[in-house]
């Protein structure tokens, strides 16, 4: 690794003279294996210890003890993180998928893993600040459990922490004259801060993915670096070596396919014919979306009438509750297959065009269905004669999430397993199916959108979605390995993950924020259930709290922030202007770096 012993001694001496932060950064930047970097670090620490002994500068026993504890914790943390990295359930799975099927299919599983972690975070926040305090004030549940509640979400679950209506509006205090817990403020602040954190996480994830896939200068010189500098000589296991070879080979094929991409030249008649096919496909897809939304709307109206008539207590009434989610999920599962078939008829030049067009059509369908359901919940269910319309909405969303999960598993069976049987036994010319990235990604975004809407009505819904995504990850992995073939056309999808993040942010997350805003500020809560019973709106709990704080001099700063920042249109206008200016300047810097890097790359090639 070093040309000679003198060079190694000079390196150790120079690193020993640096500060701790500078030394860590210098070792990290060296083009060495992890094992070699650890050897360098240990030699530098040994050199520093010997120098301190020669100078006779022995620290005090207390300092030595603290330093020893700090080093021990640091080593323990590094060892623990390494073992977790190796034992993490999908670490090896993602490597295998990337090697066998390329980055296009891998991007779906990376996105699914990201959503799973996102829902774990959501569940922990809601469970810690909303559910656990409610357990202290919970009353016994007198309803019997029959098992149908697992599918309908009604019955026994109505009197549990699963739904909004079970939560108290009282201030919880188990110790007389001790600290109290205001459930109204805890509920609205937990949900509000959670959405703020989601907003920041999505923005940061989009910016990070955009920088990695669009701006990173390594993208201009990736082929040479992958061919000459990517191999890790620390790999000794035979299976790991073969997996690394296959993964590297797939990445180089994708990069070469991107470079050697052919631009087909069509005649005038061929162009007119292709445009006509595209227009007919769009008319068919948009007309299908309108028909589906119309059917879901009238079905939801009849579903509410059935529920109000039967009160959901007998078997027929509980079965009637499943009509809306089953039909909506069935349409959301079958129509995307039709859209994928339209994409094959259009014969796009690249697989990327096919996927992006299919994703656009499916997102129009699914977000339109969600919009119709939100209109039904906010304008019809919220004004119905139900004693607790929030719990009714929560049950609807629970059933939609559960049935959508079941249809997602059935989609893997009918869309991939049976397709493989047909393609290998009946119509051999069809061959094995390819993994439908667009359809599967939009299924995830649709499920996450329902979860975000349902958080206000069912705080534990992220926990249910967390379990569902966990099962979907491994079911899709097994189905992919056993039923699907790699894409026939190799292509690079560096921008795919960024597109997924953008679709999750807009229209999904921004649309959910609009719905939550209408619920919190405009709709009147139920009179007989939930933490906001008796108030004109959910937000009224915050205004009453501010009114109380105005009587205390210690809390004047909170009142000032509320009146001058949170409720000030001028503040948000200035903040938005600053964000836009900073974004514009950042974009200009990025463009300048891209131009400079591209020129440098051209000079190197010349």
């Amino acid at each position: 690794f070093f040309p000679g012993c003198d060079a190694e001694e000079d390196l150790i001496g120079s690193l020993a003279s640096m500060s701790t932060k500078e030394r860590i950064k210098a070792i990290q930047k060296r083009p060495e294996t992890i094992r070699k970097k650890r050897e360098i670090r240990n030699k530098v620490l040994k050199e520093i210890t010997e120098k301190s002994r020669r100078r006779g500068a022995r620290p005090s026993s207390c300092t030595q003890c603290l330093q020893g504890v700090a080093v021990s914790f640091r080593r323990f943390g590094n060892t623990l993180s390494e073992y977790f990295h190796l034992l993490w359930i999908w670490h090896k799975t993602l490597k295998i998928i990337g090697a066998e099927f390329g980055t296009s299919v891998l991007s779906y599983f990376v996105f699914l893993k990201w959503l799973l972690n996102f829902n774990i975070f959501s569940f922990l926040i809601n469970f810690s600040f909303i559910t656990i305090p409610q357990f202290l004030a919970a009353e016994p549940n007198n309803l019997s459990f029959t098992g149908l509640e697992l599918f309908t979400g009604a019955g026994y679950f109505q009197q549990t922490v699963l739904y909004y209506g079970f939560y108290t509006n009282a201030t919880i205090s188990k110790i007389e004259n001790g600290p109290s817990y205001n459930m109204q403020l805890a509920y609205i602040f937990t949900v509000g801060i959670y959405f703020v954190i989601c907003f920041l996480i999505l923005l940061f994830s989009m910016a990070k993915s955009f920088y990695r896939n669009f701006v990173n200068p390594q993208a201009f010189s990736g082929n040479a670096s992958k061919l000459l500098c990517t191999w890790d000589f620390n790999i000794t296991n035979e299976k790991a070596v073969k997996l690394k070879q296959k993964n590297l080979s797939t990445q180089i094929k994708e990069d070469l396919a991107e470079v050697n991409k052919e631009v087909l030249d069509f005649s005038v008649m061929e162009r007119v014919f292709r445009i006509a096919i595209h227009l007919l496909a769009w008319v068919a897809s948009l007309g299908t979306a309108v028909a589906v939304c119309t059917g879901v709307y009238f079905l939801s109206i009849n579903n509410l009438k059935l529920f109000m008539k039967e009160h959901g207590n007998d078997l027929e009434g509980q079965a009637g509750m499943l009509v809306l989610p089953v039909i909506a999920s069935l349409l959301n599962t079958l129509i995307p297959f039709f859209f994928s078939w339209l994409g094959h008829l259009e014969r796009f030049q690249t697989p990327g065009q096919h996927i992006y067009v299919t994703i656009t059509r499916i997102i129009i369908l699914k977000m339109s269905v969600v919009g119709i359901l939100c209109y039904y919940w906010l304008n019809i269910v919220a004004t119905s004669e139900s004693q607790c319309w929030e719990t009714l909405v929560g049950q609807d969303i629970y059933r939609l999430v559960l049935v959508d999960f079941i249809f997602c598993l059935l989609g893997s069976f009918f869309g991939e397993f049976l397709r493989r049987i047909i393609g290998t036994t009946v119509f051999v010319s069809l061959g094995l199916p390819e993994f439908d990235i667009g359809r599967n990604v939009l299924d995830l975004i649709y499920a996450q959108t329902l979860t975000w809407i349902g958080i206000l009505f069912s705080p534990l819904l992220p926990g249910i979605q967390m379990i569902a995504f966990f099962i979907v990850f491994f079911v899709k992995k097994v189905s992919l390995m056993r039923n699907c073939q790699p894409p026939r056309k190799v292509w690079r999808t560096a921008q795919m993950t960024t597109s997924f993040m953008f679709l999750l942010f807009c229209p999904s997350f921004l649309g959910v924020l609009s719905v939550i805003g209408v619920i919190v500020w405009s709709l009147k809560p139920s009179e007989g259930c939930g933490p906001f019973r008796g108030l004109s709106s959910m937000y009224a709990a915050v205004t009453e709290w501010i009114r109380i704080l105005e009587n205390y001099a210690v809390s004047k700063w909170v009142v000032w922030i509320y009146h001058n920042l949170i409720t000030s249109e001028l503040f948000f206008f200035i903040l938005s202007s600053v964000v836009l200016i900073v974004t514009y300047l950042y974009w200009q810097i990025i463009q300048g770096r891209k131009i400079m890097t591209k020129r440098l790359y051209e000079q190197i090639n010349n």
Side-chain angles (χ1 to χ4, degrees):
F1 292 98
F2 301 98
C5 185
D6 294 337
E8 183 175 353
E9 291 179 357
D10 293 340
L11 173 65
I12 299 299
S14 62
L15 290 173
S17 62
M18 297 180 183
S19 63
T20 305
K21 289 184 178 181
E22 292 175 349
R23 183 167 60 250
I24 293 174
K25 290 182 179 179
I27 294 176
Q28 288 177 345
K29 290 180 179 179
R30 291 195 61 79
E32 311 287 353
T33 62
I34 297 297
R35 183 181 299 173
K36 188 61 182 177
K37 290 180 180 180
R38 288 173 181 166
E39 292 178 4
I40 295 173
R41 182 194 63 187
N42 294 333
K43 290 181 179 179
V44 171
L45 293 176
K46 185 178 180 181
E47 178 70 18
I48 294 173
T49 305
E50 291 178 354
K51 284 184 178 180
S52 63
R53 287 177 179 174
R54 287 196 295 268
R55 289 196 303 265
R58 289 183 57 85
S60 63
S61 58
C62 182
T63 305
Q64 285 182 338
C65 181
L66 291 175
Q67 289 178 350
V69 171
V71 171
S72 300
F73 271 109
R74 191 182 303 117
R75 289 177 179 174
F76 175 74
N78 293 336
T79 306
L80 203 63
S81 63
E82 289 175 8
Y83 278 110
F84 272 119
H85 185 69
L86 292 174
L87 297 175
W88 200 235
I89 50 178
W90 43 64
H91 179 68
K92 186 177 179 181
T93 301
L94 293 178
K95 281 189 174 182
I96 295 173
I97 293 172
E100 296 286 344
F101 296 90
T103 56
S104 57
V105 178
L106 177 63
S107 61
Y108 165 80
F109 287 90
V110 172
F111 184 62
L112 175 55
K113 180 178 76 76
W114 187 86
L115 284 179
L116 177 58
N117 295 331
F118 203 85
N119 280 279
I120 292 174
F121 166 75
S122 308
F123 171 74
L124 292 177
I125 286 183
N126 289 348
F127 187 77
S128 301
F129 295 100
I130 298 179
T131 304
I132 291 179
Q134 178 60 33
F135 279 130
L136 301 176
E139 298 178 358
N141 192 342
N142 298 322
L143 299 176
S144 59
F145 183 78
T146 62
L148 288 174
E149 293 87 348
L150 295 174
F151 298 97
T152 63
Y156 179 83
F157 286 158
Q158 289 181 354
Q159 299 299 322
T160 63
V161 292
L162 182 60
Y163 294 120
Y164 164 94
F166 183 72
Y167 290 83
T168 181
N169 64 336
T171 300
I172 301 173
S173 179
K174 286 297 182 181
I175 303 175
E176 189 174 353
N177 297 327
S180 58
Y181 197 82
N182 191 319
M183 183 54 72
Q184 287 184 345
L185 297 179
Y187 203 100
I188 194 169
F189 280 146
T190 300
V191 174
I193 294 174
Y194 164 74
F195 277 109
V196 172
I197 294 174
C198 288
F199 180 80
L200 297 176
I201 290 176
L202 284 173
L203 280 183
F204 176 77
S205 300
M206 282 195 302
K208 184 179 178 181
S209 180
F210 178 82
Y211 179 82
R212 186 191 302 121
N213 297 321
F214 288 88
V215 183
N216 193 351
Q218 293 179 356
F220 296 101
S221 58
N223 297 334
S225 63
K226 284 178 182 175
L227 187 61
L228 302 175
C229 309
T230 300
W231 189 259
D232 186 0
F233 291 93
N234 207 24
I235 300 176
T236 56
N237 183 272
E238 185 178 355
K239 290 184 178 180
V241 168
K242 291 182 179 180
L243 183 62
K244 184 70 175 178
Q245 289 175 343
K246 190 176 291 186
N247 205 327
L248 182 59
S249 173
T250 304
Q251 292 180 22
I252 293 176
K253 287 179 182 178
E254 292 174 350
D255 291 336
L256 291 177
E258 185 76 13
V259 173
N260 300 326
K261 178 171 62 174
E262 295 183 4
V263 179
L264 300 178
D265 188 17
F266 296 104
S267 64
V268 177
M269 290 301 298
E270 288 176 335
R271 291 179 182 177
V272 172
F273 181 71
R274 290 176 64 86
I275 292 174
I277 291 179
H278 290 322
L279 289 176
L280 288 175
W282 274 105
V283 169
S285 59
L286 293 177
T288 304
V290 171
V292 168
C293 292
T294 304
V296 169
Y297 174 75
F298 286 107
L299 184 63
S300 61
I301 300 297
N302 294 329
N303 181 73
L304 179 63
K305 293 178 180 178
L306 177 65
F307 180 81
M308 297 300 295
K309 179 181 178 181
E310 301 291 343
H311 300 288
N313 293 325
D314 56 359
L315 183 61
E316 182 182 356
Q318 293 196 7
M321 298 177 193
L322 295 173
V323 174
L324 174 61
V326 167
I327 298 299
S329 298
L330 182 64
L331 293 173
N332 276 326
T333 302
L334 295 180
I335 301 301
F337 285 104
F338 173 66
F339 290 167
S340 297
W341 178 74
L342 287 178
H344 288 296
L345 287 182
E346 294 176 274
R347 295 184 180 180
F348 292 99
Q349 295 186 31
T350 63
Q353 293 177 354
H354 180 193
I355 289 177
Y356 284 123
V357 170
T358 304
I359 284 177
T360 303
R361 290 168 179 167
I362 298 176
I363 198 72
I364 291 173
L365 169 70
K366 290 184 178 290
M367 292 301 109
S368 299
V369 170
V370 173
I372 293 296
L373 290 173
C374 289
Y375 176 83
Y376 157 68
W377 291 325
L378 302 186
N379 293 276
I380 298 175
V381 178
T383 58
S384 64
E385 298 177 357
S386 174
Q387 295 181 353
C388 190
W389 65 267
E390 295 91 346
T391 296
L392 193 59
V393 173
Q395 291 174 359
D396 269 345
I397 298 177
Y398 172 88
R399 290 188 287 269
L400 283 166
V401 169
L402 180 65
V403 175
D404 179 74
F405 164 68
I406 295 173
F407 273 86
C408 182
L409 301 183
L410 293 177
S412 296
F413 178 78
F414 289 102
E416 294 162 4
F417 175 71
L418 289 184
R419 169 67 174 78
R420 175 178 69 87
I421 299 297
I422 294 172
T424 53
T425 58
V426 182
F427 300 101
V428 183
S429 59
L430 293 177
L432 295 175
E434 293 185 16
F435 189 78
D436 195 335
I437 302 172
R439 176 176 59 84
N440 285 283
V441 165
L442 268 298
D443 286 342
L444 298 180
I445 294 178
Y446 172 75
Q448 187 60 42
T449 304
L450 291 176
T451 304
W452 275 332
I453 297 174
I455 280 178
L456 197 62
F457 308 107
S458 180
L460 297 184
L461 198 59
I464 299 172
Q465 195 63 269
M466 173 184 67
I467 299 172
F469 281 159
F470 186 83
I471 297 173
V472 166
F473 184 92
F474 289 100
V475 170
K476 291 292 183 182
K477 177 248 181 181
V478 172
S479 178
L480 174 72
M481 294 297 182
R482 294 182 178 273
N483 302 322
C484 299
Q485 65 172 340
R488 294 185 179 92
K489 293 183 180 180
V490 181
W491 60 296
R492 188 169 64 91
T493 56
Q495 300 87 8
M496 188 69 76
T497 305
T498 308
S499 303
F500 296 162
M501 294 288 182
F502 178 77
L503 288 175
L504 186 65
F505 181 76
C506 178
S508 176
F509 184 74
L510 294 183
V512 170
L513 285 184
S514 303
V515 173
I516 296 297
V518 172
I519 295 171
V520 172
W521 270 274
S522 301
L523 295 184
K524 181 178 176 59
S526 299
E527 293 290 342
C529 70
F532 303 102
R533 66 190 77 175
L535 299 177
S536 59
S537 66
M538 294 183 182
Y539 189 73
V542 178
T543 57
E544 289 187 4
W545 177 61
I546 293 297
R547 195 177 299 114
I548 294 174
L549 291 181
E550 290 176 350
N551 300 324
Y552 299 93
V554 182
S555 306
K556 290 293 184 182
W557 62 276
V558 179
V559 179
W560 185 90
I561 291 176
Y562 175 79
H563 289 297
N564 294 279
L565 298 181
I566 297 178
T567 60
S568 174
E569 294 85 357
L570 179 62
F571 170 74
F572 284 102
F573 174 77
I574 296 174
L575 183 64
S576 303
S577 302
V578 171
V579 170
L580 289 175
I581 293 172
V582 172
T583 304
Y584 175 76
L585 294 176
Y586 179 68
W587 175 257
Q588 293 297 320
I589 294 172
I590 286 174
Q591 293 300 317
R593 289 185 61 183
K594 287 180 67 175
I595 294 172
M596 292 176 61
T597 307
K598 193 171 183 178
R599 289 177 180 174
L600 179 62
Y601 177 63
E602 292 174 352
Q603 291 176 2
I604 292 173
N605 286 339
N606 295 331

